[in-house]
Amino acid sequence: SQLLHEEDIEPKPLKFVAERLRSLLRTLQVTDVSDFNPLLLVGDFATLLATYRQGFCIIIEPYDERSPALPDPLFQFCCNDASIAMKPVFERFQSVVITSGTLSPIDMYPKILGFEPRAVHSFAMSFSRDIILPLVVTRGADQAPLSSKFDLRSEPTTVRNYGKLLLDIAATVPDGVVAFFTSYSYMQQVVREWHALGILKRVLEHKLV
């Protein structure tokens, strides 16, 4: 809404940009709309921008982190209010069960998600053996520096060494393994490279992925 105000753009006409653009292409009897995909994407973005004005923001990054060497600015329209995403779920279903092993403090989440819980339960966890061993790994198997810093994490050596570390852990740990990534896009990039290197295939010899 701040962008619309600063640029003196009337939001109401923008809501219909995507629909009217597609209607125009149908009127012109355009059969192959693939040539107009970039324009359709801009139309969809404009419609979203005018439709969802509260709880959303635009994030502009100078380049896509998947290809940092290319000066290709990235626009993202992000929802900052989880209650907006959950509202259709609560409206559609009479009963909703929300479970998690990490929601804490538990009474904060009804406020964030915008609902009144009918029942809230928290269960203590107990383990039959000591299963937590915090370790900080700073170098890979080839002694190359291992770091998730932005300027290092996409290096082929870093990606390969993280894959080797995961493979070693999967072969050693008798139970399940969870791997955390700094972002979804970085996870997708790493998983693609692990697949190309055959690392995932070797991990599958020890764990289901």
Side-chain angles (χ1 to χ4, degrees), residues 1-2 45 49 52-60 75-81:
S1 59
Q2 181 181 358
F45 186 83
L49 187 62
Y52 302 102
R53 302 178 62 186
Q54 299 296 326
F56 289 79
C57 72
I58 296 177
I59 298 178
I60 304 176
F75 278 62
Q76 298 185 72
F77 189 52
C78 299
C79 177
N80 300 322
D81 186 352

Side-chain angles (χ1 to χ4, degrees), residues 103-142:
L103 295 184
S104 180
I106 196 169
D107 47 340
M108 179 179 69
Y109 286 87
K111 301 175 183 177
I112 294 176
L113 300 179
F115 73 97
E116 289 292 334
R118 293 294 180 264
V120 178
H121 298 286
S122 179
F123 303 97
M125 298 181 66
S126 60
F127 303 102
S128 59
R129 65 183 191 277
D130 188 5
I131 62 171
I132 299 177
L133 178 63
L135 295 173
V136 178
V137 182
T138 60
R139 292 189 177 275
D142 58 0

Side-chain angles (χ1 to χ4, degrees), residues 38-76:
L39 186 59
L40 290 169
L41 186 61
V42 172
D44 290 339
F45 186 83
T47 296
L48 288 171
L49 187 62
T51 303
Y52 302 102
R53 302 178 62 186
Q54 299 296 326
F56 289 79
C57 72
I58 296 177
I59 298 178
I60 304 176
E61 300 184 35
Y63 50 81
D64 190 332
E65 63 177 20
R66 292 170 296 184
S67 51
L70 297 177
D72 186 16
L74 180 67
F75 278 62
Q76 298 185 72

